């Protein structure tokens, strides 16, 4: 009984100690029958033996040379299990042939290719179709890069529809930066991608070089790009390049929200990206006007 100790008579304790090697279930049933102790459970009896150190002497492990009881015996099978057993030569229903395709939960196409699986050694494995085709055409994806779908349709696996971009560029294309590249109109996708590249290149250059005031050096180049209400300026000076992005407000005023410095080695790249932004915007604006 919970909360009260159970008293045992001396003859009961002697019997328990003499029969300590019996299995606990068997010993408990015999004890209750002989001494009419309905208040003692199997747990109580086991706890008593443990406190007294009256162990069975069995470890539960096979002894060296012990023969298992089921040695040489076959497991009986239910007659109805024959209907669900694999037959010799039977083909699993989920086996895929080389070239078979499937769509994963993220919307990417996967294809079964005849190349060894480096993890299991199987002669085939499933690979992302867009990456597999792109690497066939362009070689391995550069380290630190990922393939970006240009038209937003992940099932379009043509290599020309995918571009290797730095992984650090991806957050500038998703909803975190409120651009949502994949859902943007097709005519704006090139502009969004080019702006993201421009920002990423400027930030990477700034991280590699110390900040230097461009205003103190002689200006060697200046590029202005207007896209909607944004004005981007690439200011080239001796030993440094400054990128300024400002938004036009009322009465022709501008609010600067991006002002970074980088080295002059990236001037050509920044200038090309700025020109590409302008060209893409003019093309999209012309198409909208038409």
């Amino acid at each position: 009984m919970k909360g009260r100790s159970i008293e045992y008579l001396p003859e009961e304790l002697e019997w328990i100690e003499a029969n300590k090697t019996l299995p606990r279930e068997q010993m408990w049933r015999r004890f209750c029958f002989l001494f009419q102790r309905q208040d003692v459970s199997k747990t109580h009896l086991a706890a008593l033996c443990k406190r007294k150190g009256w162990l069975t002497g069995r470890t539960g492990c096979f002894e060296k040379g012990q023969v298992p009881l089921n040695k040489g015996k076959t497991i009986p099978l239910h007659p109805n299990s024959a209907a669900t057993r694999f037959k010799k030569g039977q083909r699993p229903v989920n086996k895929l042939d080389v070239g078979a395709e499937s769509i994963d939960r993220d919307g990417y196409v996967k294809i079964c290719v005849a190349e060894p699986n480096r993890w299991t050694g199987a002669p085939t494995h499933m690979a992302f179709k867009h990456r597999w085709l792109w690497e066939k055409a362009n070689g391995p994806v550069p380290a630190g890069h990922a393939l970006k779908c240009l038209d937003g349709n992940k099932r379009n696996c043509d290599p020309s529809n995918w571009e290797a971009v730095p992984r650090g560029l991806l957050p500038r294309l998703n909803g975190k930066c409120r651009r949502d590249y994949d859902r943007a109109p097709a005519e704006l996708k090139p502009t969004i991608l080019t702006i993201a590249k421009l920002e990423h290149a400027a930030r990477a250059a700034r991280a590699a070089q110390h900040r230097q005031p461009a205003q103190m050096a002689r200006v060697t180049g200046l590029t202005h790009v207007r896209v909607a209400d944004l004005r981007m300026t690439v200011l080239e000076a001796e030993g440094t390049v400054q990128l300024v992005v400002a938004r036009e407000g009322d009465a022709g005023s501008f609010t600067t929200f991006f002002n970074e410095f980088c080295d002059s080695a990236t001037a050509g790249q920044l200038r090309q990206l700025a020109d590409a932004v302008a060209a893409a915007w003019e093309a999209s604006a012309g198409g909208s006007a038409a």
Side-chain angles (χ1 to χ4, degrees):
M1 183 178 296
K2 185 176 181 180
R4 294 178 56 186
S5 61
I6 299 176
E7 301 294 337
Y8 295 93
L9 298 176
E11 56 267 26
E12 292 176 342
L13 294 175
E14 292 178 4
W15 186 92
I16 295 173
E17 184 178 7
N19 294 271
K20 63 182 181 181
T21 58
L22 292 175
R24 293 296 179 248
E25 177 77 20
Q26 184 178 355
M27 183 178 66
W28 170 68
R29 292 187 181 277
R30 290 185 182 183
F31 175 81
C32 292
F33 177 76
L34 291 175
F35 297 98
Q36 295 298 310
R37 293 294 301 267
Q38 306 303 323
D39 60 326
V40 178
S41 68
K42 184 175 66 173
T43 304
H44 294 150
L45 201 59
L48 172 66
C49 293
K50 188 173 182 179
R51 290 196 303 271
K52 297 290 187 178
W54 298 336
L55 305 181
T56 63
R58 295 183 293 273
T59 63
C61 303
F62 274 99
E63 301 295 338
K64 187 175 182 180
Q66 182 178 352
V67 179
L69 297 177
N70 60 349
K71 182 178 180 180
K73 298 180 180 180
T74 58
I75 302 176
L77 298 176
H78 194 279
N80 294 339
S81 67
T84 59
R85 298 177 206 163
F86 271 99
K87 307 299 187 298
K88 187 176 181 179
Q90 181 179 350
R91 176 188 173 90
V93 295
N94 60 347
K95 180 177 175 59
L96 296 177
D97 294 321
V98 174
E101 299 180 0
S102 63
I103 308 296
D104 70 359
R105 60 183 179 181
D106 294 323
Y108 291 97
V109 181
K110 303 189 76 173
I111 185 173
C112 182
V113 297
E115 297 176 356
N117 189 320
R118 61 174 179 171
W119 307 113
T120 65
T124 62
H125 75 279
M126 298 298 292
F128 287 108
K129 185 177 180 180
H130 69 277
R131 185 185 181 101
W132 185 71
L133 293 176
W134 192 92
E135 290 184 339
K136 290 291 184 183
N138 303 282
V141 177
H145 286 63
L147 296 181
K148 179 60 183 175
C149 181
L150 298 180
D151 66 355
N153 180 14
K154 298 177 181 177
R155 300 189 182 185
N156 181 3
C157 300
D158 189 276
S160 61
N161 186 46
W162 298 81
E163 181 179 345
V165 298
R167 290 190 176 275
L169 181 67
L170 297 178
R172 302 181 185 276
L173 299 176
N174 61 19
K176 181 178 179 181
C177 293
R178 299 185 179 181
R179 287 172 179 160
D180 207 356
Y181 176 87
D182 292 337
R183 297 184 181 181
E187 60 273 11
L188 293 182
K189 279 182 167 56
T191 303
I192 296 175
L193 182 59
T194 305
I195 292 176
K197 289 180 178 179
L198 183 65
E199 293 177 351
H200 180 75
R203 183 175 180 83
R206 178 182 62 85
Q209 298 292 333
H210 296 290
R211 293 177 178 268
Q212 297 181 7
Q215 294 82 357
M216 300 300 295
R218 183 174 58 87
V219 175
T220 58
L222 185 65
T223 302
H224 286 289
V225 178
R226 292 289 298 273
V227 177
D229 60 342
L230 296 180
R231 183 182 69 178
M232 291 179 289
T233 303
V234 180
L235 181 64
E236 301 173 43
E238 294 179 351
T240 186
V241 176
Q242 182 181 10
L243 171 65
V244 181
V245 181
R247 176 174 282 114
E248 185 175 7
D250 298 334
S253 61
F254 286 88
T255 302
T256 301
F257 63 92
F258 188 84
N259 188 354
E260 299 293 345
F261 295 91
C262 55
D263 64 293
S264 58
T266 59
Q269 182 181 6
L270 292 174
R271 191 163 53 248
Q272 291 176 4
L273 290 173
D275 294 341
V277 171
W281 176 256
E282 290 176 1
S284 62
S288 301

